[in-house]
Amino acid sequence: MKAQVQEISVHDLHSFKNHPFQVKEDESLQALCDSIREYGILSPLLARPTDDGFEIVSGHRRKAAALRLGLDRLPVLVRDMSDDEAVILMVDSNIQRENLLPSEKAFAYKMKLEALKHQGRVTSSQVGTKLRSDDLLADSVGESRMQIQRYIRLTNLAKPILDMVDAQRIAFSPAIELSYLTKQEQAELWDL
């Protein structure tokens, strides 16, 4: 199927599996609602067909705004793509946003790194004719390879501890150290 813009029912559009980016009910979403009310949706969502509708690759905030405004149909660029292609596009279309939480970056970087590895054009540990996947990811998002690895370490934190990192109640560097604790040790720490 070639990529084409279609008007699709908002109820046929489903969130990306394990979408790491939150859609927050904040001033930014209200501003998006105001813009859509005045000008319409200027940029179509990006989705891929699934058995039960369409999976949103890019446009979760636009869908949320449309639901708030009571819109029934949205312009969607529908494109066939593999899971890995969809992950890379989903991360790339969201990672440049301002005010991302550490957990959002952590899970997005982890998803994209795995997708890059699956594509076979990069490797995770060999140096040679292929690029290292973490180097490629670092170049694409403007972070160092070490910083990418540090963010990905956060995915090993128990959810309550990761929530504290997002709320800035635990600083980034100590959170990295806590990520090396076992799940049991993290649970005991949380209980204290």
Side-chain angles (χ1 to χ4, degrees):
M1 174 194 272
K2 279 179 58 176
Q4 57 185 349
V5 175
Q6 302 174 25
E7 290 289 321
I8 296 178
S9 168
V10 69
H11 304 294
D12 290 333
L13 294 166
H14 310 291
S15 293
F16 196 89
K17 183 180 178 190
N18 298 322
H19 190 258
F21 302 100
Q22 298 176 21
V23 176
K24 300 175 190 131
E25 297 282 334
D26 59 9
E27 292 175 15
S28 174
L29 186 61
Q30 183 57 50
L32 180 58
C33 288
D34 295 343
S35 174
I36 291 172
R37 187 179 297 111
E38 186 169 349
Y39 304 109
I41 295 181
L42 300 176
S43 179
L45 287 72
L46 175 62
R48 64 182 182 157
T50 62
D51 292 337
D52 62 342
F54 300 88
E55 182 179 46
I56 300 171
V57 175
S58 174
H60 292 80
R61 293 181 70 249
R62 282 168 279 171
K63 178 188 174 189
L67 286 170
R68 264 181 135 184
L69 296 171
L71 301 179
D72 293 328
R73 301 187 75 70
L74 302 175
V76 180
L77 178 63
V78 178
R79 180 185 299 167
D80 280 327
M81 59 186 93
S82 70
D83 290 345
D84 292 333
E85 291 168 330
V87 164
I88 291 168
L89 279 170
M90 181 270 301
V91 171
D92 287 349
S93 65
N94 285 284
I95 203 69
Q96 80 289 346
R97 289 188 355 218
E98 293 180 22
N99 304 321
L100 288 178
L101 296 173
S103 64
E104 292 174 316
K105 281 187 175 185
F107 285 102
Y109 289 165
K110 184 175 183 176
M111 289 174 76
K112 184 172 179 180
L113 186 61
E114 288 304 313
L116 289 169
K117 288 178 188 178
H118 291 155
Q119 289 186 330
R121 294 189 305 238
V122 294
T123 183
S124 60
S125 62
Q126 296 175 346
V127 177
T129 58
K130 293 183 179 181
L131 291 171
R132 282 182 56 129
S133 51
D134 49 4
D135 283 331
L136 186 62
L137 175 57
D139 288 344
S140 74
V141 298
E143 301 261 17
S144 71
R145 180 171 48 105
M146 181 61 76
Q147 189 69 349
I148 296 292
Q149 292 170 353
R150 289 167 48 93
Y151 270 109
I152 291 173
R153 278 298 317 164
L154 294 179
T155 66
N156 295 307
L157 288 173
K159 180 153 178 29
I161 296 173
L162 185 56
D163 290 344
M164 291 180 73
V165 176
D166 284 344
Q168 298 179 343
R169 293 179 56 208
I170 298 177
F172 186 75
S173 290
I176 300 304
E177 297 303 319
L178 293 175
S179 75
Y180 288 96
L181 297 175
T182 66
K183 292 295 180 189
Q184 178 62 37
E185 292 168 333
Q186 290 183 42
E188 291 171 8
L189 175 64
W190 177 250
D191 288 341
L192 292 175

